[in-house]
């Protein structure tokens, strides 16, 4: 191992800048990431290459990529302690993505549920990038030889395919890639839509009344919680099967306040849903207030953001370059 590389376990994850970051992105992902900075060597990036598998408005994509960086930092990802970068700045991602395409099977890629879902939703634009999305994601991951990849439940299949591709490559060429583990946090792992608790709180759909974005104003947050779907039992009790709406609100409240489900059930015993929903809304307002204020401040500081992503790209490239040159050598490319 190179002396510049630390001995801490490595973590890596990415989020596509294809929609606004939500309460779900924060509670399910970013907040957990921020807590690990001291114990892990962490890489987080804006997956802009992945974002264009669905048609994007260029100005919006650029704006959201920078906003996302500002929001990562506002959520507690300290750029001194974490490597924060923009995927397209590290060209090794696209290059290794191509190589891994040649080790990902048509059948495997066809079985990815995200591909099937997206193909159904974007019937007019089922492009090659959408199909080979998982090989690029495998490249994102394998370049950094991470131990863990924190992702939501919906991305687990992609991490499993990454492991299969890595094992296949290692089997042919000898030990090249570390085999990463998906890492799915328990609490807040899945924040569901407030209006349809059978669906994940989505970041991609515009103006969805079921989601809370990090930049939502307090009055909007309160209004959305007020309208959240519940059930007819009038009892605050955790049971995701029969009470998905209430259980989702309890998950959010637990993650926002640190209370356990038992404590929440006791706190709201005999209370109406109206009171409960207001309390959850207020807890979320307070949770997001500092994040919204800090993000708004950072997004105005273009020079600072630029210094962060330049530094991040440099640190990321250093590692990515070494993995890519090893791969190029193993597959038989002539060195330059
Ligand atoms: N596919 C992930 C998502 O939709 C984003 C992503 C891209 C990612 N590359 C990654 C996540 C690498 C983890 C590791 O959420």
């Amino acid at each position: 191992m190179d002396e510049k590389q630390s001995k801490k376990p490595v973590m890596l994850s990415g989020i596509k800048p294809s929609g606004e970051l939500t309460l779900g992105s924060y509670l399910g992902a970013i907040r957990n990431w921020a807590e690990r900075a001291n114990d892990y060597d962490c890489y987080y990036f804006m997956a802009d290459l992945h974002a264009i598998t669905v048609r994007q408005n260029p100005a919006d994509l650029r704006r959201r990529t920078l906003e996302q960086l500002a929001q990562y930092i506002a959520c507690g990802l300290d750029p001194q302690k974490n490597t924060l970068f923009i995927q397209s700045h590290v060209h090794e991602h696209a290059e290794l993505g191509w190589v891994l395409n040649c080790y990902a099977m048509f059948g495997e890629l066809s079985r990815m549920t995200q591909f099937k879902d997206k193909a159904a939703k974007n019937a007019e634009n089922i492009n090659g990038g959408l199909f080979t999305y998982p090989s690029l994601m495998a490249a994102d991951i394998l370049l950094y030889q991470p131990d863990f990849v924190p992702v939501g439940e919906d991305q687990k299949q992609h991490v499993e395919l990454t492991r299969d591709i890595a094992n296949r490559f290692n089997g042919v060429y000898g030990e090249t890639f570390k085999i990463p583990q998906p890492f799915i946090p328990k609490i807040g792992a899945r924040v569901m839509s407030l209006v349809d608790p059978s669906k994940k709180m989505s970041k991609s759909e515009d103006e969805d009344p079921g989601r809370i974005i990090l930049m939502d104003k307090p009055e909007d947050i309160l209004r959305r919680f007020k309208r959240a779907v519940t059930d007819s039992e009038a009892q605050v009790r955790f049971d995701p099967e029969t009470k998905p709406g209430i259980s989702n609100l309890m998950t959010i409240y637990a993650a926002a306040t640190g209370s356990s489900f038992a404590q929440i059930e006791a706190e709201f015993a005999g209370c109406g849903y109206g009171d409960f929903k207001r309390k959850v809304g207020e807890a979320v307002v307070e949770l997001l207030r500092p994040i919204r204020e800090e993000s708004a401040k950072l997004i105005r500081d273009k020079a600072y953001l630029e210094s962060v992503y330049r530094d991040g790209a440099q640190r990321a490239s250093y590692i990515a370059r070494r993995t890519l040159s090893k791969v190029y050598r193993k597959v038989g490319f002539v060195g330059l």
Side-chain angles (χ1 to χ4, degrees):
M1 209 186 256
D2 190 289
E3 67 285 353
K4 275 202 187 162
Q5 205 177 344
S6 69
K7 301 283 191 290
K8 291 180 195 168
V10 177
M11 285 259 180
L12 166 135
S13 198
I15 295 191
K16 285 194 298 289
S18 55
E20 306 292 336
L21 293 179
T22 67
L23 178 65
S25 330
Y26 178 58
L27 292 180
I30 309 168
R31 186 166 78 166
N32 301 306
W33 300 352
E35 287 164 7
R36 302 204 191 96
N38 293 324
D39 306 322
Y40 295 86
D41 193 8
C42 298
Y43 296 82
Y44 301 113
F45 62 94
M46 282 30 86
D48 54 352
L49 297 175
H50 278 107
I52 63 163
T53 55
V54 172
R55 195 76 76 228
Q56 301 290 330
N57 171 309
D60 287 345
L61 179 60
R62 197 171 290 120
R63 174 182 55 77
R64 273 204 305 264
T65 304
L66 293 173
E67 281 175 3
Q68 194 167 297
L69 177 63
Q71 290 172 14
Y72 273 13
I73 300 168
C75 285
L77 290 183
D78 178 349
Q80 304 289 329
K81 294 189 183 164
N82 298 276
T83 300
L84 306 180
F85 67 100
I86 298 172
Q87 187 186 26
S88 62
H89 286 169
V90 182
H91 55 76
E92 285 81 0
H93 289 243
E95 293 175 70
L96 183 61
W98 171 254
V99 174
L100 296 185
N101 256 330
C102 302
Y103 298 85
M105 298 300 136
F106 182 83
E108 285 173 326
L109 294 169
S110 310
R111 283 193 293 276
M112 294 293 112
T113 53
Q114 180 167 300
F115 170 69
K116 289 192 268 185
D117 288 352
K118 292 215 166 172
K121 276 199 206 139
N122 301 283
E124 75 301 335
N125 186 20
I126 307 178
N127 60 71
L130 199 61
F131 187 64
T132 58
Y133 182 116
S135 344
L136 178 59
M137 181 158 160
D140 297 339
I141 296 171
L142 298 175
L143 278 174
Y144 300 90
Q145 312 276 359
D147 297 87
F148 300 106
V149 184
V151 284
E153 193 65 45
D154 63 320
Q155 293 297 316
K156 203 170 153 203
Q157 197 186 24
H158 286 159
V159 180
E160 275 156 9
L161 178 60
T162 299
R163 291 163 57 89
D164 292 343
I165 295 174
N167 275 319
R168 182 173 300 141
F169 194 98
N170 287 352
V172 178
Y173 300 101
E175 207 53 32
T176 309
F177 297 122
K178 179 170 237 163
I179 308 300
Q181 304 272 355
F183 184 93
I184 298 174
K186 284 188 195 68
I187 258 278
R190 283 205 103 188
V191 174
M192 313 305 277
S193 161
L194 299 183
V195 295
D196 180 359
S198 67
K199 281 197 339 218
K200 188 172 144 175
M201 186 178 280
S202 129
K203 70 173 152 59
S204 312
E205 281 154 39
D206 309 305
E207 268 323 298
D208 170 355
R211 67 172 198 177
I212 305 290
I213 62 171
L214 294 184
M215 303 310 279
D216 269 339
K217 294 195 215 52
E219 57 271 28
D220 295 329
I221 296 177
L222 294 174
R223 188 165 31 81
R224 297 221 161 121
F225 275 99
K226 200 167 163 187
R227 299 199 184 139
V229 161
T230 53
D231 54 61
S232 55
E233 194 195 40
Q235 195 186 0
V236 176
R237 184 167 62 80
F238 191 77
D239 181 353
E241 289 295 308
T242 62
K243 296 167 71 66
I246 288 294
S247 303
N248 186 39
L249 293 174
M250 287 180 72
T251 301
I252 294 171
Y253 194 68
T257 61
S259 304
S260 68
F261 292 145
Q263 284 166 334
I264 299 170
E265 288 174 355
E267 184 180 346
F268 293 98
C271 250
Y273 283 165
D275 283 346
F276 175 55
K277 292 200 281 188
R278 188 169 40 77
K279 275 287 183 53
V280 182
E282 286 167 1
V284 169
V285 166
E286 291 319 314
L287 179 74
L288 297 185
R289 187 189 302 283
I291 295 175
R292 178 170 44 93
E293 290 173 356
E294 182 67 12
S295 304
K297 201 163 82 193
L298 290 172
I299 196 68
R300 288 193 296 269
D301 194 348
K302 294 280 181 283
Y304 172 69
L305 291 180
E306 187 178 317
S307 72
V308 169
Y309 66 66
R310 278 182 185 273
D311 180 54
Q314 211 168 36
R315 275 163 24 205
S317 301
Y318 176 81
I319 306 294
R321 200 158 47 226
R322 293 192 329 182
T323 303
L324 186 71
S325 49
K326 192 153 118 187
V327 168
Y328 275 12
R329 210 171 340 107
K330 297 226 178 185
V331 298
F333 293 166
V334 175
L336 186 65

